[in-house]
Amino acid sequence: LLVGDPGVAKSVTLNFMAEISPKGRYVVGKSASGAGLTATVVRDEYLRGWSLEAGAMVLANKGLVCIDELEKMDPNDRSAMHEAMEQQTITVSKANVQATLRAETSVLAAANPKFGRFDPYQSIAQQIDLPPTLINRFDVIFTLRDLPDKAKDEMIAEHVLHEHTKEGEIMRIPREIFRKYVAYAKQRVKPELSDEAVDTIKKFYVDLRNKPVASESAVRPIPISARQLQALIRMSEASAKLRLSNVVSKLDALEAIEL
């Protein structure tokens, strides 16, 4: 989940990822319904009965769905994603149609903070206007701040202006080769955790869960849940896939912990 100020290229990133990913799809929050994301049952006049139509998360099974403007989605439509992001299935029970569809889909979403942009005087957690049940299902949350920085601003200006010159877009890695690389890594590389990686992740998870947390409420908040343990495993495996390695090393586990 990318949460950031306007103009930090969230939509551009999502569009690029949808193009690069095998079976990638790009949807925008306001114009996406719960049925459009998951599945819907429609009356089929031709068959004279009910038929099942798959949504973006089912169509992108084993691929990636990029959801822009997540905070502008209707809360009821947003709740349709919960099952897909947790169980990796979508269950439909409408009319006389009962079905379970596979949705082993990665979700890359972008949202703006509560007031459109980050307020420097409030904590970031208070400004992410999404229900905790949904936030908890994301493996990583990146906050993108639009802060003036002369060196960085010069690089961005140079890059954007270069796009409008004769040479045009320069890609360090051609898009097609990048797509093939991602597809190859997904299909051929199935990494397994090494003992060092298991010990590293286990120690981090147990230590973080049992850390003392300062809180005004009587109930002590829990820093992370078992879902984040799954997230650490997924990110460690992804780091190994990038290297086309069949073993998740300790370095891959440390990379996941760092993220």
Side-chain angles (χ1 to χ4, degrees):
L1 174 64
L2 312 176
V3 184
D5 293 326
V8 290
K10 297 189 297 294
S11 301
V12 175
T13 307
L14 263 62
N15 256 313
F16 179 79
M17 288 303 296
E19 281 180 37
I20 287 294
S21 171
K23 294 178 84 172
R25 282 175 185 267
Y26 175 80
V27 296
V28 181
K30 201 71 183 161
S31 59
S33 66
L37 273 178
T38 53
T40 184
V41 174
V42 292
R43 189 157 191 91
D44 193 319
E45 296 300 328
Y46 181 70
L47 294 170
R48 298 198 176 180
W50 298 92
S51 69
L52 191 61
E53 286 191 358
M57 291 183 99
V58 177
L59 295 169
N61 179 38
K62 299 226 186 282
L64 175 77
V65 164
C66 298
I67 306 169
D68 206 357
E69 313 269 354
L70 185 67
E71 85 287 359
K72 293 184 182 69
M73 260 184 98
D74 185 81
N76 298 331
D77 292 335
R78 219 164 33 204
S79 65
M81 293 159 55
H82 287 197
E83 186 203 350
M85 289 177 76
E86 179 59 31
Q87 312 301 334
Q88 302 210 308
T89 57
I90 285 164
T91 309
V92 180
S93 297
K94 286 179 183 175
N96 61 348
V97 176
Q98 268 79 36
T100 301
L101 306 168
R102 288 176 65 170
E104 291 171 21
T105 311
S106 306
V107 176
L108 173 64
N112 287 94
K114 195 185 284 187
F115 305 111
R117 64 183 306 128
F118 281 114
D119 180 347
Y121 305 106
Q122 260 194 346
S123 77
I124 280 174
Q126 289 173 302
Q127 298 182 68
I128 298 177
D129 195 20
L130 293 167
T133 47
L134 186 62
I135 287 174
N136 197 248
R137 282 173 165 84
F138 283 102
D139 290 354
V140 206
I141 299 169
F142 288 111
T143 52
L144 307 172
R145 308 288 302 272
D146 186 14
L147 303 169
D149 175 340
K150 196 173 181 188
K152 204 166 113 187
D153 293 344
E154 271 185 15
M155 281 168 66
I156 291 169
E158 221 167 86
H159 176 77
V160 173
L161 291 164
H162 187 82
E163 297 268 302
H164 294 271
T165 59
K166 282 178 191 172
E167 287 88 29
E169 187 184 9
I170 293 174
M171 279 277 293
R172 292 207 176 118
I173 303 168
R175 208 169 275 216
E176 275 311 301
I177 290 178
F178 197 6
R179 267 185 81 113
K180 285 174 184 173
Y181 170 63
V182 173
Y184 180 86
K186 279 172 89 82
Q187 287 168 9
R188 298 292 175 91
V189 186
K190 299 279 180 277
E192 290 183 1
L193 292 168
S194 65
D195 294 343
E196 295 106 323
V198 168
D199 293 341
T200 308
I201 292 171
K202 184 177 163 187
K203 185 180 183 304
F204 173 73
Y205 175 71
V206 173
D207 288 356
L208 187 55
R209 266 188 72 88
N210 293 282
K211 238 185 193 173
V213 178
S215 172
E216 289 157 23
S217 64
V219 181
R220 189 177 79 93
I222 298 166
I224 57 170
S225 65
R227 277 185 188 146
Q228 274 67 47
L229 180 59
Q230 293 282 349
L232 285 165
I233 295 166
R234 275 195 290 271
M235 287 194 289
S236 304
E237 288 175 348
S239 177
K241 277 184 185 177
L242 274 175
R243 298 184 296 108
L244 303 180
S245 164
N246 283 314
V247 178
V248 178
S249 69
K250 185 181 177 178
L251 288 172
D252 294 318
L254 290 170
E255 184 80 28
I257 287 165
E258 181 67 29
L259 285 169

